[in-house]
Amino acid sequence: MAIETTRLDPVLLTDEEMHQFLVDGFLILQPTVPVGTHETIDEKFTWLVEHETNPGNNILPRLPELNLVLESPEVRGAIISLLGLNYLIHPHRYWHYKKPSDMDPDDHEKIWAQVMAGSHQDSYSPSRQPKSHHLRYARFMYYSHDVEEIHGPTHVIPGSHFHAGIADEDRAREIPVIGPAGTVFLSHFELGHAAGVNLSDRVRHMIKFLFMRTEEPGAPSWQSTSTVWKTPEVVAAPYDLEPAWRHHWSWLCGVNGTTETAPAHETGVIDTLLTRLNAGSQIERTCAIYELAVIGNEVVGPLTDRLSAVGEQYPPNESPYQAIRGATVTMDDAAYTLGAMGADAVESLVGLLDSPHEWTRINAVFALGEIGSKADCAVPRLVELLHDPFHGVIRFTANALGNIGDAGAQKALCHLLDTDSDAWKEPAEMGWSLGDLIHVNVAMTLARLGAAAADSEADIIRHLNHPCGQVGIYLIEALRRIGAPSALDAVVRDLAIRRWDASLHDKRQF
Ligand SMILES: [Fe+2]
């Protein structure tokens, strides 16, 4: 099948579709692709199941027709709308195929129990990245064939994307995502979901890709006609998170930090909201985060005191960052609050960076990153933290510098790529070393800096052959976004020698 060389104009989302996405955490699309695309992909998936192992992150060169879906005007338009024009495709992607189950199709209780037990929020790759409420990542799932309930569709928990975790009451709300061949399901990265049970007689194919934002929103990137928030009339989630929805709508419209004037609060009300952080029901927690963020200055003191104290709970090397292997790191609710508050919180958060407790430092770094460009005065101090004794702080600091997007960090970031201390050579998890984890975060940040990393072009080219493939993928993106002829020449030369011949197989290797 010929690959289209001309791109159709992206189909951007409407205000209503954006409202719905913020509330439910997902939307479903039907991409426009050349006739036969889904059938070709489905046949190739089925052939691969029988003849090869799962190519994992290398699936695109193995099955390049998937690009037709990723490049469709509906998918590009939706991703531009959600993540901004200069989004990146994250190197992690995974083809989930499900062979027919041997479960009794009439044992509905057992089937449902399996779906509920499998409910989860995804882990980032590589693991142990901070869970962000802001729309920085979107998950893409695609079916190459008609998927009905019998095929074991992905299930989803509407409105769970601001949750710190998935509770039993959430698991009970899983609904199946079904649709004809070509159905694309886009969701907030933190949305809870689960695999279904394949009770049909064919292999079910679904492939997941991740997209990431590179830049802070400066203005609506969708078909915007009004920046006034409007709660959708039909909400799939059975609760009201209006303070959160309003914050994230405002952020996507280009407003950094809170600009709303909080209603006058009695002291007792503020105290009640503070007690709901990290406690109470998930709904109360989420609303408390955003109601406190709007209050601003008046609550910076108690929130930073809380973050200062929370680190004391954990001895060195035993913070939640360390405890959760292979998963996403949920930060303290106070960090989400200060991160949503914006400029008012910066000075106090910078003060917390001197804390002797790693969990306090890591929360403060995270919150500064969530504030983004309005925390740019913290960049010199954050650059110093790239030498923190705790590798988790280094990784989160690299992330924060990517969110802030200041060119002043690039040399220190490149220096880290040259650093590989003996301690970092230790296997960390899933075959990655600590050095790999750190270097991926650094390379991701250089990709997000883009043109702001132009002075580091030679250093970036020098590391294209990093033994961890994700590092090179991000560095290619950094060079592409720098865009100078010499940078683009390095990109082409690197990719040309890695070009994959998808027509080869074990019977014909040439
Ligand atoms: Fe998942």
Side-chain angles (χ1 to χ4, degrees):
M1 174 174 291
I3 301 290
E4 293 283 335
T5 54
T6 51
R7 277 175 144 189
L8 298 173
D9 287 343
V11 179
L12 300 176
L13 300 180
T14 63
D15 287 329
E16 291 72 24
E17 288 170 318
M18 291 295 292
H19 294 151
Q20 202 76 49
F21 187 93
L22 274 183
V23 166
D24 291 337
F26 68 95
L27 61 87
I28 294 171
L29 301 172
Q30 302 297 333
T32 300
V33 291
V35 173
T37 297
H38 306 313
E39 291 83 351
T40 301
I41 292 172
D42 198 56
E43 283 168 16
K44 290 195 173 187
F45 272 149
T46 299
W47 188 90
L48 285 169
V49 169
E50 291 166 8
H51 295 89
E52 295 185 7
T53 53
N54 192 330
N57 286 3
N58 285 328
I59 188 75
L60 264 183
R62 191 73 196 92
L63 216 169
E65 289 83 356
L66 288 165
N67 265 316
L68 295 168
V69 182
L70 299 174
E71 288 284 294
S72 69
E74 292 80 8
V75 171
R76 276 196 303 123
I79 301 293
I80 289 170
S81 302
L82 298 170
L83 301 178
L85 184 62
N86 292 314
Y87 68 81
L88 296 182
I89 304 184
H90 189 285
H92 177 68
R93 63 279 319 252
Y94 200 76
W95 164 38
H96 290 264
Y97 63 82
K98 269 186 145 336
K99 293 185 174 174
S101 166
D102 55 9
M103 286 177 79
D104 175 358
D106 293 323
D107 192 346
H108 302 293
E109 199 171 318
K110 191 173 175 190
I111 292 166
W112 182 239
Q114 181 164 317
V115 172
M116 293 218 298
S119 301
H120 64 284
Q121 290 167 304
D122 271 349
S123 301
Y124 292 86
S125 176
S127 59
R128 286 191 273 180
Q129 310 269 5
K131 177 181 291 186
S132 174
H133 292 188
H134 284 134
L135 192 43
R136 300 189 187 280
Y137 288 81
R139 180 177 40 240
F140 161 107
M141 291 175 169
Y142 160 80
Y143 297 137
S144 55
H145 58 93
D146 295 351
V147 171
E148 299 175 13
E149 267 204 84
I150 195 173
H151 296 104
T154 294
H155 286 58
V156 59
I157 309 169
S160 56
H161 45 303
F162 302 129
H163 284 22
I166 300 299
D168 285 347
E169 64 190 80
D170 301 312
R171 296 172 195 275
R173 293 196 297 108
E174 292 275 12
I175 57 171
V177 178
I178 57 175
T183 295
V184 168
F185 167 66
L186 290 177
S187 56
H188 188 294
F189 185 78
E190 303 296 346
L191 193 73
H193 57 283
V197 178
N198 183 4
L199 302 169
S200 75
D201 56 5
R202 64 154 293 164
V203 180
R204 189 223 61 177
H205 299 301
M206 182 276 279
I207 186 159
K208 172 183 81 173
F209 284 85
L210 304 178
F211 292 84
M212 54 184 278
R213 169 182 293 284
T214 61
E215 295 165 347
E216 190 171 287
S221 54
W222 57 93
Q223 291 180 57
S224 169
T225 57
S226 169
T227 55
V228 175
W229 169 254
K230 186 163 176 280
T231 304
E233 288 178 12
V234 179
V235 177
Y239 39 70
D240 181 355
L241 297 178
E242 178 101 6
W245 300 335
R246 294 180 79 87
H247 169 83
H248 290 281
W249 172 253
S250 170
W251 188 77
L252 287 170
C253 287
V255 177
N256 182 314
T258 52
T259 55
E260 290 185 50
T261 306
H265 282 85
E266 307 268 336
T267 307
V269 172
I270 290 177
D271 288 345
T272 301
L273 290 173
L274 288 168
T275 62
R276 288 180 179 166
L277 298 181
N278 287 55
S281 75
Q282 182 62 62
I283 312 312
E284 287 177 342
R285 283 177 69 168
T286 303
C287 288
I289 288 169
Y290 293 98
E291 286 175 44
L292 285 166
V294 175
I295 294 170
N297 256 326
E298 194 180 344
V299 290
V300 169
L303 289 166
T304 46
D305 287 350
R306 178 192 173 89
L307 282 187
S308 178
V310 78
E312 295 171 16
Q313 298 172 14
Y314 302 102
N317 300 320
E318 290 184 25
S319 73
Y321 176 93
Q322 307 272 30
I324 313 167
R325 286 195 163 243
T328 300
V329 185
T330 303
M331 313 309 294
D332 193 280
D333 283 352
Y336 292 106
T337 310
L338 291 163
M341 189 181 294
D344 281 356
V346 172
E347 190 179 340
S348 296
L349 285 168
V350 171
L352 290 179
L353 299 179
D354 294 323
S355 168
H357 306 294
E358 64 192 34
W359 186 237
T360 295
R361 296 200 300 285
I362 212 167
N363 270 282
V365 162
F366 167 78
L368 286 165
E370 290 304 278
I371 292 169
S373 63
K374 290 230 170 128
D376 58 354
C377 64
V379 168
R381 181 69 185 99
L382 288 172
V383 165
E384 290 172 3
L385 280 189
L386 292 174
H387 303 287
D388 195 273
F390 175 45
H391 53 86
V393 173
I394 297 173
R395 294 185 64 197
F396 278 37
T397 300
N399 283 346
L401 288 165
N403 289 355
I404 295 169
D406 188 288
Q410 60 181 302
K411 287 296 167 195
L413 290 164
C414 286
H415 179 69
L416 270 185
L417 288 178
D418 282 321
T419 306
D420 199 8
S421 71
D422 285 344
W424 291 5
K425 291 194 171 83
E426 284 177 31
E429 55 198 274
M430 297 177 77
W432 287 304
S433 67
L434 279 180
D436 289 339
L437 299 182
I438 292 168
H439 290 164
V440 169
N441 280 106
V442 166
M444 187 192 301
T445 292
L446 289 166
R448 296 171 65 202
L449 289 180
D455 290 348
S456 301
E457 181 186 314
D459 284 331
I460 292 171
I461 293 172
R462 196 159 51 77
H463 286 287
L464 283 177
N465 279 324
H466 192 287
C468 177
Q470 289 202 27
V471 174
I473 291 170
Y474 282 119
L475 295 183
I476 284 287
E477 291 290 358
L479 293 169
R480 189 174 66 81
R481 298 193 66 219
I482 287 170
S486 51
L488 296 180
D489 181 56
V491 169
V492 172
R493 282 187 288 116
D494 183 87
L495 295 183
I497 58 170
R498 295 174 190 271
R499 201 168 200 288
W500 187 276
D501 183 347
S503 72
L504 302 187
H505 48 79
D506 60 349
K507 301 284 189 298
R508 185 173 62 81
Q509 296 154 353
F510 45 82

